[in-house]
Amino acid sequence: YNTLLTGIASSSPRYLLAVQFLDEMLSTGVAPDETSFNTVIESCARVGDVIRAGEILERMAEYGISPNHVSYTSLMKAYKSSGDLDGVARIFDEMDAKGVSPDLTTYSVALSACATAGNLRMAIRFLRDIDRRGL
């Protein structure tokens, strides 16, 4: 299922098909895993569909799956794609509050969003956090 889901999700114009396929998996009793959800969140992120990406992340908990750094980073990408730096920071903070450690890709997304928005203050915040964590 994940291989097919990945193939569907790889095409931005078909991202809604990936969402529908995940729904189909759930409705037929096929248990999605972390990869299933992350694939769909990433697909939504590519087109900046923040609402749908957030909904998918929330649904993970319904199935006993905790979002990981990939889940949160993908959601941050959705906010970045939609030009919402505050959303990027909010998701980063939520991730941190839930004890999910960011990786360098997470920081790359955050710093790229800061650069696009021209927000040096927030970029410095993320750079200091990278140093604090020893990354």
Side-chain angles (χ1 to χ4, degrees), residues 94-113:
E94 178 183 324
M95 177 174 120
D96 196 38
K98 292 192 176 182
V100 178
S101 297
D103 66 359
L104 288 176
T105 301
T106 307
Y107 283 108
S108 177
V109 170
L111 290 169
S112 177

Side-chain angles (χ1 to χ4, degrees), residues 6-55:
T6 299
I8 293 168
S10 67
S11 172
S12 293
R14 295 189 312 204
Y15 85 101
L16 287 176
L17 208 57
V19 174
Q20 292 171 346
F21 189 75
L22 179 65
D23 289 339
E24 184 68 23
M25 286 173 65
L26 296 169
S27 70
T28 59
V30 174
D33 60 13
E34 194 174 76
T35 301
S36 309
F37 283 103
N38 287 345
T39 299
V40 177
I41 294 168
E42 180 69 26
S43 182
C44 294
R46 266 192 234 104
V47 296
D49 191 338
V50 175
I51 293 171
R52 203 164 262 120
E55 289 171 351

Side-chain angles (χ1 to χ4, degrees), residues 40-82:
V40 177
I41 294 168
E42 180 69 26
S43 182
C44 294
R46 266 192 234 104
V47 296
D49 191 338
V50 175
I51 293 171
R52 203 164 262 120
E55 289 171 351
I56 299 298
L57 187 127
E58 289 175 9
R59 288 174 69 190
M60 291 176 82
E62 294 173 26
Y63 294 90
I65 301 170
S66 297
N68 63 10
H69 69 283
V70 174
S71 314
Y72 285 108
T73 300
S74 294
L75 184 53
M76 287 170 59
K77 287 178 186 177
Y79 278 98
K80 177 184 169 282
S81 293
S82 67

Side-chain angles (χ1 to χ4, degrees), residues 86-132:
D86 290 335
V88 170
R90 185 176 51 75
I91 296 305
F92 182 91
D93 291 341
E94 178 183 324
M95 177 174 120
D96 196 38
K98 292 192 176 182
V100 178
S101 297
D103 66 359
L104 288 176
T105 301
T106 307
Y107 283 108
S108 177
V109 170
L111 290 169
S112 177
C114 291
T116 300
N119 190 323
L120 183 59
R121 178 174 289 159
M122 193 171 295
I124 290 170
R125 171 197 162 199
F126 287 118
L127 288 170
R128 286 185 177 148
D129 200 57
I130 290 169
D131 285 341
R132 182 180 63 81

